[in-house]
Amino acid sequence: MSSSSPAPRIRLLVVDDSAYNRRNIADIFLNVPEVEVIGKAADGEEALRLTTLLKPDVITLDLEMPRMDGFTFLRILMSRQPTPVIVVSSYSQKENVFKALELGALDFVTKPDRQITPDATELREQILSKVLVVKNWRPQALVPHGLRRAAAPSGPWTPEGRPTPVPAAQPVFQQPRHLVAIASSTGGPSALLEIFSKIPATSGVGIVVAQHMPDKFTRTFAERLDRRGPVRTSEAQDGDRVGLLTGFVCPGRQCMEVIRNASNDYVLRVGPGAPTDRYVPSADRLLKSAAAAARERCIGVVLTGMGDDGVEGARQIFFNGGTVIAESQETAVVYGMPAAAVRAGVVSKVLPLPAIAEYIAGLS
């Protein structure tokens, strides 16, 4: 009679310059059999030594530390020994968080201040759930998202990174020829930055995004996407029109839908999630509405992330004659949402991230 061996535990390294925070983060996992805290570090230099010695499966990382900060640590770590990193950062460090994601961090957790107290139940649960996500991550997908440099978008550019001003003869508002609706979660920010950086000024798309992200971060994230290329991107507001080369990110703790108005323009409806929404923002709700609004001109994209949000929306796009693209296992940091869409049989193409970026860039 054979007995199966227990699953290996996730080996966690905690990095924070506060001894109080190090202890409280480690205590989260005291009664979690899937996770073993194998070490604690007070700065980036110590973290690099322990990473080389202990080879953790995942690291929680503070960004502001003496001697070597979190950014320098990330650069060196991802070039030497790519490892999943969960950034634990304050609400005031929005730009720093996205900089860390671009350097290769897998995800982030926000804290209201410098200290992580034992009674911060929601924060502790978030840290636990994001560390456990490592069971499903794709090792070979981590480095391309973290270290791949974005190609410069085609077309003339101003020093500020915005496109050359549009000639006066061109209409101020034009409808997009294709509506691209994107669903993404864990690993999604860096994937979206890559996609937006590849879209040329000649593209015929308008883009709407449901990215699972806290509400205090979606505006900053939209601003970073805006600086990546000619797609004028912002956090969505109720009543916004989706025009040619415009992009909208659903606000955190809200849901977004696309409808047609009396002039047949694509218009956004933004409001609180409904009791039936399993996720907020809801990729399913966004993709379903995009399918109804754009039909065969709708391109649904399901990127990296846990769970199955977006599958029902992808189904609507697929059966309405649109195109559904799922990110391949080759590049998805977490092959959850794309895999669910593939299993449901509602996917037109399965492509690695660079090919998805090229496909969208080629839509005219």
Side-chain angles (χ1 to χ4, degrees), residues 24-93:
N24 281 318
I25 292 175
D27 286 350
I28 294 170
F29 303 94
L30 282 176
N31 299 309
V32 180
E34 301 99 323
V35 180
E36 176 187 7
V37 178
I38 59 170
K40 303 171 189 175
D43 58 61
E45 288 186 6
E46 185 181 8
L48 282 176
R49 287 195 299 271
L50 290 178
T51 300
T52 303
L53 178 66
L54 302 175
K55 296 181 170 48
D57 299 314
V58 60
I59 299 168
T60 62
L61 177 69
D62 186 22
L63 294 175
E64 293 184 339
M65 299 180 293
R67 298 175 65 192
M68 180 187 289
D69 64 19
F71 304 115
T72 305
F73 169 76
L74 271 170
R75 288 190 188 96
I76 298 172
L77 175 75
M78 291 303 169
S79 63
R80 292 181 183 174
Q81 187 180 322
T83 305
V85 172
I86 309 297
V87 169
V88 182
S89 178
S90 68
Y91 286 116
S92 62
Q93 294 181 306

Side-chain angles (χ1 to χ4, degrees), residues 8 16 22 38 88 107 128 148 150 157 168 214 238 263 273 275 281 283-284 292 301 308-309 352:
D16 197 300
R22 292 197 300 274
I38 59 170
V88 182
D107 207 341
L128 172 60
R148 185 162 46 224
W157 287 81
D238 189 56
S263 302
D284 271 329
V301 180
D308 62 356
D309 193 20

Side-chain angles (χ1 to χ4, degrees), residues 48 98 116 137 147 166 179 184 203 222 224 231 259 270 291 302 328 336:
L48 282 176
F98 291 113
I116 300 171
W137 81 290
L147 299 182
V166 176
L179 180 65
S184 55
S203 177
R224 289 190 84 89
V231 179
I259 64 169
V270 179
V302 184
S328 70

Side-chain angles (χ1 to χ4, degrees), residues 208-282:
V208 288
V209 176
Q211 163 69 45
H212 297 164
M213 183 177 287
D215 59 313
K216 293 180 173 64
F217 286 79
T218 43
R219 176 172 295 180
T220 303
F221 179 53
E223 291 168 356
R224 289 190 84 89
L225 291 175
D226 182 67
R227 296 196 292 267
R228 278 301 178 106
V231 179
R232 301 177 300 282
T233 307
S234 59
E235 183 184 55
Q237 298 183 48
D238 189 56
D240 281 338
R241 289 190 302 170
V242 183
L244 183 66
L245 287 175
T246 63
F248 296 93
V249 176
C250 181
R253 296 195 180 185
Q254 301 281 308
C255 285
M256 179 168 72
E257 295 178 307
V258 185
I259 64 169
R260 292 273 202 172
N261 66 6
S263 302
N264 216 29
D265 295 329
Y266 298 120
V267 177
L268 298 180
R269 290 288 175 258
V270 179
T276 53
D277 292 318
R278 294 177 301 135
Y279 302 90
V280 178
S282 170

